[in-house]
Amino acid sequence: MNFIESEILKGKYFPSKSRERLRATMVNLFILVGVFVILLYAYENLIQGYYIMLFVEMFIVLTLMIAYLVFPHYISMNTTSYMILGALTFLLSISLVVPDKDPELSLFWLATLPIFVFFFLGVDKGIRWNTNMFVVLLIIPLFSFITGIKLVYGWELLSQIILGYLVVSYMLYIIESERSSYEERLGVALAENQMLFKEVHHRTKNNMQVIMGLLETQAFKIDDPKYKKMFETHVDRLKAMSLMHKNLYTNHSYEEVDIQEYLEEITKSLQTYTSHKITINIEPIMIDMNVAMNIGLIFNEAVTNAIEHAFKEGDEGTINVVLRQSDGRCIFVIHDNGRGFDSSISYPSLGMTLIKDLSSTLIKSSLIIKKSEGTRIEIHFNLKEDG
Protein backbone atom coordinates (compact mmCIF):
# COMPACT_ATOMS: atom_id res chain seq x y z
CA MET A 1 0.00 0.00 0.00
CA ASN A 2 2.87 2.38 0.76
CA PHE A 3 4.33 1.63 -2.69
CA ILE A 4 1.05 2.54 -4.41
CA GLU A 5 0.68 5.76 -2.41
CA SER A 6 4.31 6.77 -2.87
CA GLU A 7 5.06 5.67 -6.43
CA ILE A 8 1.86 5.18 -8.45
CA LEU A 9 -0.05 8.03 -6.77
CA LYS A 10 3.19 10.13 -6.70
CA GLY A 11 3.11 10.92 -2.99
CA LYS A 12 6.92 10.73 -2.88
CA TYR A 13 7.16 14.18 -4.43
CA PHE A 14 5.52 15.82 -1.39
CA PRO A 15 6.31 15.95 2.35
CA SER A 16 5.08 12.98 4.35
CA LYS A 17 1.76 13.43 6.20
CA SER A 18 1.18 16.85 4.64
CA ARG A 19 -2.08 18.12 3.14
CA GLU A 20 -0.27 18.65 -0.17
CA ARG A 21 0.67 14.97 -0.25
CA LEU A 22 -2.93 13.98 0.50
CA ARG A 23 -4.21 16.24 -2.27
CA ALA A 24 -1.61 14.89 -4.70
CA THR A 25 -2.52 11.26 -4.05
CA MET A 26 -6.24 12.06 -4.30
CA VAL A 27 -5.69 13.88 -7.59
CA ASN A 28 -3.86 10.92 -9.11
CA LEU A 29 -6.27 8.38 -7.65
CA PHE A 30 -9.16 10.32 -9.15
CA ILE A 31 -7.41 10.39 -12.54
CA LEU A 32 -6.73 6.64 -12.60
CA VAL A 33 -10.19 5.63 -11.36
CA GLY A 34 -11.82 8.13 -13.73
CA VAL A 35 -9.89 6.79 -16.72
CA PHE A 36 -10.87 3.21 -15.87
CA VAL A 37 -14.58 4.04 -15.49
CA ILE A 38 -14.70 6.22 -18.62
CA LEU A 39 -13.01 3.47 -20.66
CA LEU A 40 -15.77 1.08 -19.56
CA TYR A 41 -18.39 3.61 -20.71
CA ALA A 42 -16.49 4.10 -23.98
CA TYR A 43 -16.45 0.36 -24.68
CA GLU A 44 -20.22 0.12 -24.15
CA ASN A 45 -20.83 3.14 -26.38
CA LEU A 46 -18.62 1.57 -29.05
CA ILE A 47 -20.68 -1.62 -28.95
CA GLN A 48 -23.99 0.31 -29.06
CA GLY A 49 -22.82 2.68 -31.78
CA TYR A 50 -22.92 5.97 -29.83
CA TYR A 51 -19.87 7.32 -31.64
CA ILE A 52 -20.22 11.00 -30.69
CA MET A 53 -20.13 10.15 -26.97
CA LEU A 54 -17.33 7.66 -27.62
CA PHE A 55 -15.25 10.44 -29.20
CA VAL A 56 -15.91 12.75 -26.23
CA GLU A 57 -14.96 10.05 -23.70
CA MET A 58 -11.72 9.18 -25.50
CA PHE A 59 -10.83 12.89 -25.57
CA ILE A 60 -11.41 13.07 -21.79
CA VAL A 61 -9.29 9.94 -21.22
CA LEU A 62 -6.45 11.48 -23.25
CA THR A 63 -6.68 14.72 -21.25
CA LEU A 64 -6.60 12.88 -17.92
CA MET A 65 -3.63 10.71 -18.92
CA ILE A 66 -1.65 13.76 -20.05
CA ALA A 67 -2.39 15.39 -16.69
CA TYR A 68 -1.21 12.25 -14.88
CA LEU A 69 2.03 11.95 -16.88
CA VAL A 70 3.16 15.58 -16.57
CA PHE A 71 2.18 16.02 -12.89
CA PRO A 72 4.02 17.24 -10.83
CA HIS A 73 7.14 17.81 -12.95
CA TYR A 74 5.69 20.18 -15.54
CA ILE A 75 2.36 21.36 -14.15
CA SER A 76 1.33 22.26 -10.62
CA MET A 77 -1.34 20.61 -8.49
CA ASN A 78 -3.76 23.49 -9.09
CA THR A 79 -3.31 23.26 -12.86
CA THR A 80 -3.82 19.51 -12.73
CA SER A 81 -6.96 19.97 -10.62
CA TYR A 82 -8.36 22.46 -13.14
CA MET A 83 -7.64 20.06 -16.01
CA ILE A 84 -9.42 17.19 -14.23
CA LEU A 85 -12.44 19.23 -13.15
CA GLY A 86 -12.67 20.92 -16.53
CA ALA A 87 -12.64 17.57 -18.31
CA LEU A 88 -15.23 16.11 -15.94
CA THR A 89 -17.46 19.19 -16.21
CA PHE A 90 -17.32 19.03 -20.01
CA LEU A 91 -18.11 15.30 -19.99
CA LEU A 92 -21.09 15.70 -17.67
CA SER A 93 -22.47 18.65 -19.61
CA ILE A 94 -22.24 16.73 -22.87
CA SER A 95 -23.82 13.65 -21.28
CA LEU A 96 -26.96 15.68 -20.63
CA VAL A 97 -27.19 16.58 -24.33
CA VAL A 98 -25.73 13.69 -26.36
CA PRO A 99 -27.17 10.15 -25.92
CA ASP A 100 -24.95 7.34 -24.68
CA LYS A 101 -25.35 3.77 -23.41
CA ASP A 102 -25.98 4.60 -19.71
CA PRO A 103 -26.87 8.30 -19.42
CA GLU A 104 -28.32 7.80 -15.92
CA LEU A 105 -24.86 7.03 -14.53
CA SER A 106 -23.88 10.59 -15.34
CA LEU A 107 -26.22 11.75 -12.59
CA PHE A 108 -24.03 10.03 -9.99
CA TRP A 109 -20.92 11.82 -11.22
CA LEU A 110 -22.85 15.07 -11.37
CA ALA A 111 -23.83 14.70 -7.71
CA THR A 112 -20.23 13.98 -6.65
CA LEU A 113 -18.67 16.78 -8.71
CA PRO A 114 -19.11 19.44 -5.95
CA ILE A 115 -17.20 17.18 -3.54
CA PHE A 116 -14.19 17.08 -5.83
CA VAL A 117 -14.45 20.79 -6.61
CA PHE A 118 -14.35 21.87 -2.97
CA PHE A 119 -11.67 19.31 -2.03
CA PHE A 120 -9.32 20.24 -4.86
CA LEU A 121 -9.94 23.99 -5.06
CA GLY A 122 -11.03 25.04 -1.57
CA VAL A 123 -13.95 27.24 -0.56
CA ASP A 124 -13.42 30.44 -2.57
CA LYS A 125 -12.39 28.86 -5.87
CA GLY A 126 -14.92 26.07 -5.33
CA ILE A 127 -17.76 28.60 -5.07
CA ARG A 128 -16.70 30.29 -8.30
CA TRP A 129 -16.36 26.98 -10.12
CA ASN A 130 -19.75 25.66 -8.99
CA THR A 131 -21.42 28.98 -9.82
CA ASN A 132 -20.06 28.82 -13.35
CA MET A 133 -21.06 25.16 -13.57
CA PHE A 134 -24.59 26.04 -12.44
CA VAL A 135 -24.88 28.71 -15.13
CA VAL A 136 -23.66 26.28 -17.80
CA LEU A 137 -26.10 23.59 -16.69
CA LEU A 138 -28.95 26.12 -16.50
CA ILE A 139 -28.51 26.94 -20.18
CA ILE A 140 -29.27 23.33 -21.16
CA PRO A 141 -32.91 23.11 -19.88
CA LEU A 142 -33.54 26.71 -21.02
CA PHE A 143 -32.38 25.77 -24.51
CA SER A 144 -34.61 22.68 -24.46
CA PHE A 145 -37.61 24.69 -23.20
CA ILE A 146 -37.22 27.55 -25.69
CA THR A 147 -36.52 25.45 -28.78
CA GLY A 148 -38.73 22.51 -27.88
CA ILE A 149 -35.85 20.15 -28.71
CA LYS A 150 -35.81 17.17 -26.38
CA LEU A 151 -32.29 16.25 -25.32
CA VAL A 152 -31.34 13.18 -23.25
CA TYR A 153 -33.85 14.32 -20.59
CA GLY A 154 -36.86 16.60 -20.80
CA TRP A 155 -36.48 20.18 -19.60
CA GLU A 156 -38.57 19.41 -16.49
CA LEU A 157 -36.20 16.66 -15.33
CA LEU A 158 -33.19 18.72 -16.32
CA SER A 159 -34.45 21.56 -14.12
CA GLN A 160 -34.72 19.19 -11.16
CA ILE A 161 -31.19 17.91 -11.82
CA ILE A 162 -29.82 21.46 -11.85
CA LEU A 163 -31.70 22.33 -8.66
CA GLY A 164 -30.31 19.20 -6.97
CA TYR A 165 -26.80 20.16 -8.05
CA LEU A 166 -27.30 23.62 -6.52
CA VAL A 167 -28.51 22.17 -3.20
CA VAL A 168 -25.66 19.65 -2.95
CA SER A 169 -23.14 22.39 -3.78
CA TYR A 170 -24.52 24.67 -1.06
CA MET A 171 -24.43 21.89 1.57
CA LEU A 172 -20.84 21.08 0.70
CA TYR A 173 -19.98 24.78 0.79
CA ILE A 174 -21.20 24.95 4.41
CA ILE A 175 -19.27 21.80 5.38
CA GLU A 176 -16.07 22.95 3.67
CA SER A 177 -16.38 26.44 5.18
CA GLU A 178 -16.61 24.94 8.67
CA ARG A 179 -13.64 22.67 8.00
CA SER A 180 -11.54 25.54 6.63
CA SER A 181 -12.48 27.74 9.59
CA TYR A 182 -11.49 25.00 12.03
CA GLU A 183 -8.22 24.43 10.18
CA GLU A 184 -7.49 28.17 10.27
CA ARG A 185 -8.15 28.35 14.03
CA LEU A 186 -5.98 25.29 14.53
CA GLY A 187 -3.19 26.94 12.54
CA VAL A 188 -3.41 30.08 14.69
CA ALA A 189 -3.29 28.00 17.89
CA LEU A 190 -0.30 26.06 16.57
CA ALA A 191 1.53 29.28 15.70
CA GLU A 192 0.84 30.64 19.19
CA ASN A 193 2.14 27.43 20.78
CA GLN A 194 5.25 27.57 18.62
CA MET A 195 5.89 31.14 19.72
CA LEU A 196 5.42 30.06 23.33
CA PHE A 197 7.87 27.16 22.96
CA LYS A 198 10.33 29.49 21.26
CA GLU A 199 10.09 31.97 24.11
CA VAL A 200 10.47 29.23 26.74
CA HIS A 201 13.62 27.84 25.09
CA HIS A 202 14.97 31.37 24.60
CA ARG A 203 14.47 32.25 28.26
CA THR A 204 15.90 28.90 29.40
CA LYS A 205 19.01 29.55 27.34
CA ASN A 206 19.30 33.09 28.75
CA ASN A 207 18.87 31.81 32.32
CA MET A 208 21.60 29.25 31.76
CA GLN A 209 23.88 31.97 30.45
CA VAL A 210 23.26 33.96 33.65
CA ILE A 211 24.18 30.89 35.72
CA MET A 212 27.29 30.34 33.58
CA GLY A 213 28.26 33.96 34.09
CA LEU A 214 27.93 33.61 37.87
CA LEU A 215 30.02 30.43 37.89
CA GLU A 216 32.71 32.02 35.70
CA THR A 217 32.79 35.06 38.00
CA GLN A 218 33.19 32.80 41.01
CA ALA A 219 35.91 30.81 39.24
CA PHE A 220 37.97 33.98 38.79
CA LYS A 221 38.04 34.40 42.57
CA ILE A 222 39.34 30.88 43.23
CA ASP A 223 43.10 30.38 43.35
CA ASP A 224 43.13 26.59 43.81
CA PRO A 225 43.47 25.09 40.25
CA LYS A 226 41.52 21.96 41.28
CA TYR A 227 38.38 23.84 42.35
CA LYS A 228 38.78 26.40 39.58
CA LYS A 229 38.69 23.53 37.06
CA MET A 230 35.56 22.14 38.69
CA PHE A 231 33.73 25.41 38.09
CA GLU A 232 34.95 25.58 34.47
CA THR A 233 33.79 22.00 33.86
CA HIS A 234 30.32 22.78 35.15
CA VAL A 235 30.21 25.84 32.89
CA ASP A 236 31.00 23.60 29.87
CA ARG A 237 28.17 21.23 30.81
CA LEU A 238 25.72 24.11 31.12
CA LYS A 239 26.93 25.49 27.81
CA ALA A 240 26.21 22.16 26.09
CA MET A 241 22.65 22.26 27.46
CA SER A 242 22.26 25.93 26.59
CA LEU A 243 23.27 25.33 22.97
CA MET A 244 20.52 22.75 22.60
CA HIS A 245 17.89 25.28 23.66
CA LYS A 246 19.40 27.78 21.25
CA ASN A 247 19.13 25.19 18.47
CA LEU A 248 15.47 24.59 19.34
CA TYR A 249 14.33 28.21 19.26
CA THR A 250 16.33 29.17 16.17
CA ASN A 251 14.93 26.30 14.07
CA HIS A 252 11.40 25.37 12.98
CA SER A 253 11.16 22.25 15.17
CA TYR A 254 10.55 22.63 18.90
CA GLU A 255 10.76 18.94 19.76
CA GLU A 256 13.66 17.72 17.63
CA VAL A 257 17.25 18.89 17.20
CA ASP A 258 19.51 18.67 14.17
CA ILE A 259 22.27 16.69 15.87
CA GLN A 260 24.86 17.72 13.27
CA GLU A 261 24.31 21.43 13.89
CA TYR A 262 24.09 20.92 17.66
CA LEU A 263 27.38 19.01 17.99
CA GLU A 264 29.12 21.43 15.62
CA GLU A 265 28.27 24.29 18.00
CA ILE A 266 29.60 22.35 21.01
CA THR A 267 32.75 21.55 19.02
CA LYS A 268 33.36 25.24 18.27
CA SER A 269 32.96 26.02 21.98
CA LEU A 270 35.39 23.28 23.09
CA GLN A 271 37.91 24.04 20.35
CA THR A 272 38.50 27.51 21.80
CA TYR A 273 39.94 25.92 24.98
CA THR A 274 42.46 23.55 23.39
CA SER A 275 45.11 23.36 20.71
CA HIS A 276 44.26 19.71 20.06
CA LYS A 277 42.29 19.22 16.86
CA ILE A 278 38.65 18.12 17.14
CA THR A 279 37.26 16.67 13.90
CA ILE A 280 33.64 15.61 13.54
CA ASN A 281 31.74 13.58 10.97
CA ILE A 282 28.10 13.84 12.01
CA GLU A 283 25.13 12.92 9.85
CA PRO A 284 22.30 15.50 9.77
CA ILE A 285 19.74 13.54 11.80
CA MET A 286 16.73 15.04 13.56
CA ILE A 287 16.69 13.64 17.11
CA ASP A 288 14.30 14.09 20.03
CA MET A 289 15.44 16.96 22.26
CA ASN A 290 15.90 14.75 25.36
CA VAL A 291 18.01 12.23 23.48
CA ALA A 292 19.96 15.03 21.80
CA MET A 293 20.77 16.66 25.14
CA ASN A 294 22.14 13.37 26.51
CA ILE A 295 24.25 12.88 23.38
CA GLY A 296 25.54 16.46 23.69
CA LEU A 297 26.52 15.91 27.34
CA ILE A 298 28.24 12.62 26.47
CA PHE A 299 30.07 14.39 23.68
CA ASN A 300 31.10 17.22 25.99
CA GLU A 301 32.34 14.86 28.73
CA ALA A 302 34.22 12.51 26.39
CA VAL A 303 35.98 15.29 24.47
CA THR A 304 36.78 17.22 27.68
CA ASN A 305 38.28 14.06 29.24
CA ALA A 306 40.39 13.50 26.13
CA ILE A 307 41.62 17.11 26.15
CA GLU A 308 42.60 16.91 29.82
CA HIS A 309 43.97 13.38 30.16
CA ALA A 310 44.72 11.76 26.79
CA PHE A 311 47.81 13.66 25.69
CA LYS A 312 51.23 14.34 27.10
CA GLU A 313 52.31 17.93 27.56
CA GLY A 314 53.48 19.37 24.26
CA ASP A 315 51.71 16.75 22.12
CA GLU A 316 49.41 17.79 19.29
CA GLY A 317 46.53 15.39 19.58
CA THR A 318 43.49 14.66 17.48
CA ILE A 319 40.00 13.77 18.66
CA ASN A 320 37.72 12.24 16.02
CA VAL A 321 33.97 12.12 16.53
CA VAL A 322 31.58 10.16 14.30
CA LEU A 323 27.81 9.75 14.49
CA ARG A 324 26.03 7.86 11.74
CA GLN A 325 22.76 6.02 11.29
CA SER A 326 21.80 2.78 9.57
CA ASP A 327 18.27 1.30 9.64
CA GLY A 328 17.28 3.25 12.75
CA ARG A 329 20.40 2.13 14.65
CA CYS A 330 23.04 4.77 15.46
CA ILE A 331 26.71 4.46 16.28
CA PHE A 332 28.41 7.28 18.17
CA VAL A 333 32.22 7.16 18.35
CA ILE A 334 34.69 9.44 20.15
CA HIS A 335 38.27 8.37 19.43
CA ASP A 336 41.48 10.14 20.44
CA ASN A 337 45.06 9.24 19.49
CA GLY A 338 46.40 9.84 22.98
CA ARG A 339 48.05 7.55 25.50
CA GLY A 340 44.89 5.53 26.17
CA PHE A 341 43.95 3.96 29.50
CA ASP A 342 43.24 0.58 31.01
CA SER A 343 39.47 0.05 30.69
CA SER A 344 39.60 -2.78 33.26
CA ILE A 345 40.41 -0.24 35.99
CA SER A 346 37.55 1.73 37.50
CA TYR A 347 38.37 5.43 37.56
CA PRO A 348 36.61 7.62 40.16
CA SER A 349 35.85 10.26 37.51
CA LEU A 350 32.62 12.20 37.39
CA GLY A 351 33.02 12.51 33.62
CA MET A 352 33.21 8.74 33.05
CA THR A 353 30.32 8.19 35.45
CA LEU A 354 28.20 10.67 33.50
CA ILE A 355 29.10 9.00 30.18
CA LYS A 356 28.02 5.59 31.50
CA ASP A 357 24.84 6.91 33.11
CA LEU A 358 23.80 9.04 30.14
CA SER A 359 24.48 6.29 27.60
CA SER A 360 22.23 3.94 29.58
CA THR A 361 19.30 6.32 29.01
CA LEU A 362 19.49 5.82 25.22
CA ILE A 363 17.20 3.23 23.64
CA LYS A 364 18.74 -0.28 23.55
CA SER A 365 22.19 1.19 24.03
CA SER A 366 25.52 -0.54 24.43
CA LEU A 367 28.69 1.22 25.61
CA ILE A 368 32.18 0.09 24.63
CA ILE A 369 35.31 1.82 26.02
CA LYS A 370 38.61 0.37 24.87
CA LYS A 371 42.25 1.20 24.27
CA SER A 372 42.80 1.32 20.51
CA GLU A 373 45.64 3.62 19.42
CA GLY A 374 44.38 5.92 22.11
CA THR A 375 40.95 5.72 23.72
CA ARG A 376 37.87 4.73 21.74
CA ILE A 377 34.37 5.20 23.12
CA GLU A 378 31.57 3.57 21.14
CA ILE A 379 27.86 3.88 21.88
CA HIS A 380 25.29 1.97 19.83
CA PHE A 381 21.64 2.93 20.27
CA ASN A 382 18.24 3.10 18.57
CA LEU A 383 16.44 6.33 17.71
CA LYS A 384 13.01 4.81 18.41
CA GLU A 385 11.50 1.90 20.25
CA ASP A 386 10.85 -1.14 18.06
CA GLY A 387 7.30 -1.36 16.77
Side-chain angles (χ1 to χ4, degrees), residues 93-345:
S93 301
I94 293 297
S95 69
L96 298 178
V97 178
V98 180
D100 65 355
K101 173 64 172 61
D102 296 307
E104 291 80 9
L105 292 177
S106 300
L107 301 182
F108 168 77
W109 292 105
L110 190 64
T112 57
L113 179 61
I115 300 174
F116 301 126
V117 169
F118 282 114
F119 181 81
F120 290 143
L121 303 183
V123 175
D124 295 335
K125 293 180 180 179
I127 280 291
R128 289 197 294 269
W129 185 281
N130 278 317
T131 301
N132 294 332
M133 180 68 180
F134 174 74
V135 172
V136 170
L137 293 177
L138 189 61
I139 293 173
I140 297 174
L142 287 175
F143 174 80
S144 177
F145 175 74
I146 293 171
T147 63
I149 299 175
K150 184 176 181 180
L151 305 174
V152 176
Y153 307 101
W155 71 268
E156 300 91 345
L157 182 56
L158 282 172
S159 300
Q160 296 177 45
I161 293 172
I162 306 309
L163 181 61
Y165 181 84
L166 181 63
V167 171
V168 171
S169 297
Y170 181 69
M171 292 172 60
L172 287 168
Y173 162 72
I174 295 174
I175 294 172
E176 184 64 17
S177 296
E178 285 295 317
R179 188 205 62 78
S180 299
S181 176
Y182 174 76
E183 190 177 74
E184 184 178 345
R185 293 196 302 270
L186 190 63
V188 171
L190 179 61
E192 290 175 350
N193 285 339
Q194 288 177 340
M195 287 297 295
L196 178 61
F197 275 117
K198 182 176 181 179
E199 184 64 22
V200 167
H201 288 300
H202 193 188
R203 291 192 181 189
T204 302
K205 176 241 184 186
N206 289 342
N207 290 339
M208 285 185 169
Q209 286 186 325
V210 171
I211 296 171
M212 286 187 289
L214 293 173
L215 289 173
E216 288 173 340
T217 301
Q218 190 65 38
F220 285 131
K221 300 178 180 179
I222 298 175
D223 296 326
D224 190 322
K226 176 182 177 182
Y227 294 106
K228 189 181 186 71
K229 187 61 184 175
M230 286 176 62
F231 273 85
E232 292 173 348
T233 302
H234 287 310
V235 169
D236 288 338
R237 290 166 183 151
L238 284 170
K239 188 173 290 185
M241 298 168 69
S242 171
L243 288 172
M244 192 208 66
H245 288 283
K246 176 186 175 183
N247 188 290
L248 283 167
Y249 80 73
T250 55
N251 289 288
H252 296 296
S253 175
Y254 301 98
E255 296 179 353
E256 293 183 324
V257 174
D258 184 340
I259 198 66
Q260 182 188 64
E261 182 179 336
Y262 176 40
L263 295 187
E264 282 178 352
E265 290 178 335
I266 298 178
T267 301
K268 291 176 184 177
S269 175
L270 292 172
Q271 190 67 79
T272 60
Y273 299 123
T274 180
S275 60
H276 304 304
K277 187 177 181 181
I278 307 172
T279 63
I280 60 173
N281 181 12
I282 311 295
E283 290 186 0
I285 308 168
M286 297 302 294
I287 296 181
D288 178 80
M289 58 178 290
N290 296 320
V291 176
M293 180 174 288
N294 289 341
I295 291 173
L297 290 171
I298 292 171
F299 175 83
N300 183 78
E301 296 299 328
V303 173
T304 300
N305 280 351
I307 292 172
E308 294 178 0
H309 307 296
F311 309 106
K312 297 178 182 178
E313 189 174 350
D315 288 350
E316 292 185 2
T318 301
I319 305 167
N320 296 310
V321 182
V322 176
L323 193 155
R324 62 178 183 270
Q325 177 189 12
S326 178
D327 298 327
R329 185 82 173 162
C330 290
I331 178 172
F332 186 32
V333 179
I334 303 101
H335 184 203
D336 65 68
N337 63 348
R339 69 186 78 180
F341 71 98
D342 188 351
S343 59
S344 63
I345 300 175

